[in-house]
């Protein structure tokens, strides 16, 4: 079972590129969506991350940050991120392998990678919703959006700006 | 249980082929630049032929704009055509020309299906239809659309393969079907 709602989200500091680290503390004051996934490049993960990439404007209405986490190394993340044009950080739970996933009770010891697990954390660092999907199934975004709505109020969205952000 | 459609099919709002009282409603969430949707296009055409008046088909937008640079433009173009009752003509044009979806080509398709070019391009430039496309997209995200194409048969997400035989089998056993 993944860490449940009401639990304080364990802090972490992980590399996102070979020379940059991201820690959960950096986002205090904002909701955070943690998306643990088994591996870069596997088809389901790709679709899942592509979907979240597309929904970033929606998450940003709640001032929420999205972080993808897998046991892949930072060089792998850089290549994957570039290939899929991801606009949110991917963190490397690489050394010690899977330590952060383990701290969220979202690691598959038998496989050596994390569960496909989602956590929505509030601005004070408390887990408000968690979910583990079967490894081969894309959990979609519905649960994340419902969780965000349960404690954060969205801003009105400017459709034209959201769908036509610069750099696309 | 697979997720259900959260935004019900609406005869006024949606783009629909088929009779309002058809016992089977097939909804596709699609992206005009997605190769899997392109592959599904002739399958849906064939399905419509084989099932006939028992099926009504609904198309909603789910553009994956970060991986498909022309998907948003194409979706808005279909809506712009739709505002002149030519949604399906543009839908067909886009799915049969997936390798040429830049604005110049889309303008050619608009002319070919008989749209006045200036207002059409104006609607694209000012993104008149962006809100509608986004509404479709969000309705999909809230209904369990994970990628494209995603089909719903009588409001229930269909998780099987998108080939003709599988879809024929699926619509045959769809909930609420009178055979």
């Amino acid at each position: 079972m993944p860490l449940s709602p009401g639990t304080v989200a364990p802090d972490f500091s992980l590399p996102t590129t070979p020379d940059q680290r991201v820690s959960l503390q950096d986002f205090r004051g904002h909701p955070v969506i943690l998306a643990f996934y088994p591996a870069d490049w596997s088809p389901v993960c790709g679709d899942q991350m592509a979907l979240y990439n597309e929904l970033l404007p929606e998450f940003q209405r709640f001032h929420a940050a999205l972080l993808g986490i897998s046991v892949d190394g930072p060089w792998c993340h850089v290549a994957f991120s570039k290939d899929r044009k991801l606009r949110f950080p991917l963190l490397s739970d690489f050394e010690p392998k899977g330590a952060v996933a383990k701290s969220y009770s979202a690691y598959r010891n038998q496989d050596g990678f994390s569960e496909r697990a989602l956590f929505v954390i509030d601005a004070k660092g408390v887990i408000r919703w968690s979910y583990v999907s079967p490894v081969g199934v894309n959990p979609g975004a519905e649960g994340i959006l419902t969780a965000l709505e349960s404690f954060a109020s969205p801003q009105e969205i400017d459709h034209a700006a959201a769908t036509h952000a610069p750099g696309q | 249980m697979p997720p259900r459609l959260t935004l019900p099919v609406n005869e006024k709002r949606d783009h629909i082929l088929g009779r309002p009282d058809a016992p089977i409603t097939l909804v596709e969430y699609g992206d005009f630049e997605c190769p899997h949707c392109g592959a599904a296009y002739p399958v849906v055409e064939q399905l419509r032929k084989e099932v006939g008046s028992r099926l009504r088909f609904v198309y909603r937008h789910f553009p994956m704009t970060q991986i498909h640079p022309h998907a948003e433009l194409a979706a808005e173009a279909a809506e712009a055509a739709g505002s002149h009752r030519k949604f399906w003509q543009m839908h067909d044009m886009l799915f049969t020309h997936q390798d040429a979806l830049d604005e110049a080509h889309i303008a050619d398709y608009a002319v070919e299906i008989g749209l006045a070019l200036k207002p059409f391009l104006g609607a694209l430039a000012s993104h008149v239809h962006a809100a509608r496309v986004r509404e479709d997209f969000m309705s999909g995200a809230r209904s369990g659309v994970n990628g494209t194409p995603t089909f719903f048969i009588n409001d229930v997400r269909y998780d099987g393969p998108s080939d003709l035989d599988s879809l024929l089998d699926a619509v045959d056993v769809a909930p609420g079907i009178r055979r």
Side-chain angles (χ1 to χ4, degrees):
Chain A
M1 288 292 289
L3 288 187
S4 48
T7 314
V8 173
D11 197 20
F12 54 78
S13 171
L14 290 174
T16 178
T17 66
D19 53 8
Q20 263 185 311
R21 295 180 81 83
V22 165
S23 77
L24 185 60
Q25 283 287 348
D26 299 343
F27 298 94
R28 195 52 55 86
H30 296 282
V32 175
I33 303 153
L34 290 187
F36 289 93
Y37 62 98
D40 291 345
W41 306 109
S42 83
V44 175
C45 304
D47 290 343
Q48 187 189 357
M49 294 304 132
L51 177 69
Y52 295 169
N53 204 30
E54 212 60 56
L55 280 160
L56 276 183
E58 209 57 37
F59 299 149
Q60 284 159 358
R61 288 172 67 206
F62 296 92
H63 301 288
L66 170 64
L67 304 173
I69 306 183
S70 77
V71 296
D72 296 285
W75 291 107
C76 187
H77 276 343
V78 168
F80 181 61
S81 215
K82 191 174 170 200
D83 185 76
R84 302 295 156 92
K85 302 187 173 64
L86 299 183
R87 298 176 297 152
F88 58 90
L90 299 179
L91 311 188
S92 285
D93 196 7
F94 182 71
E95 178 58 40
K97 189 179 171 207
V100 174
K102 282 172 194 161
S103 74
Y104 280 79
S105 300
Y107 193 69
R108 297 171 68 87
N109 280 308
Q110 68 277 27
D111 295 316
F113 51 72
S114 77
E115 295 279 8
R116 195 176 295 284
L118 297 170
F119 295 85
V120 174
I121 298 166
D122 69 17
K124 292 179 178 160
V126 176
I127 296 172
R128 300 295 287 258
W129 178 75
S130 62
Y131 177 76
V132 171
S133 175
V135 159
V137 177
N138 181 343
E142 161 59 14
I144 296 173
L145 292 168
T146 304
L148 286 171
E149 279 168 0
S150 73
F151 67 88
S153 45
Q155 290 191 322
E156 278 307 301
I157 194 162
D158 179 341
H159 293 282
T163 36
H164 303 282
Q168 291 182 32
Chain B
M1 272 295 289
R4 298 178 65 93
L5 206 58
T6 53
L7 179 66
V9 172
N10 181 318
E11 287 282 334
K12 287 206 178 86
R13 173 195 185 282
D14 280 303
H15 302 291
I16 303 177
L17 290 175
R19 296 157 54 110
D21 59 350
I24 306 160
T25 298
L26 176 70
V27 175
E28 175 182 357
Y29 278 88
D31 169 330
F32 291 115
E33 201 174 357
C34 157
H36 304 290
C37 299
Y41 168 70
V43 174
V44 170
E45 291 293 287
Q46 191 59 32
L47 185 75
R48 289 181 47 236
K49 268 187 205 143
E50 297 206 9
V51 182
S53 62
R54 293 194 302 135
L55 179 81
R56 97 184 148 145
F57 175 59
V58 179
Y59 184 88
R60 288 180 177 170
H61 304 289
F62 203 79
M64 299 291 276
T65 61
Q66 300 301 310
I67 42 178
H68 299 141
H70 306 104
E72 174 68 23
L73 177 71
E76 289 183 28
E79 287 301 318
S83 67
H84 299 281
R85 297 173 174 270
K86 289 181 185 287
F87 176 86
W88 293 105
Q89 288 95 317
M90 185 58 86
H91 162 277
D92 296 350
M93 276 288 182
L94 297 169
F95 272 138
T96 49
H97 298 86
Q98 280 198 302
D99 56 340
L101 296 178
D102 57 288
E103 190 162 333
H105 280 95
I106 285 179
D108 291 345
Y109 310 148
V111 171
E112 205 169 324
I113 63 174
L115 288 170
L117 194 54
K118 210 174 161 187
F120 174 79
L121 291 177
L124 294 187
S126 51
H127 298 294
V128 176
H129 302 286
R132 161 57 192 263
V133 171
R134 189 71 188 170
E135 186 179 87
D136 274 11
F137 180 85
M138 285 313 298
S139 77
R142 300 311 296 252
S143 306
V145 173
N146 298 331
T148 53
T150 294
F151 293 103
F152 291 79
I153 299 172
N154 287 359
D155 289 357
V156 179
R157 191 178 72 188
Y158 167 70
D159 289 337
S162 307
D163 62 275
L164 184 62
D165 286 345
S166 306
L167 280 166
L168 277 170
D169 287 348
V171 298
D172 240 15
V173 298
I177 293 300
R178 302 179 299 271
R179 282 200 242 183

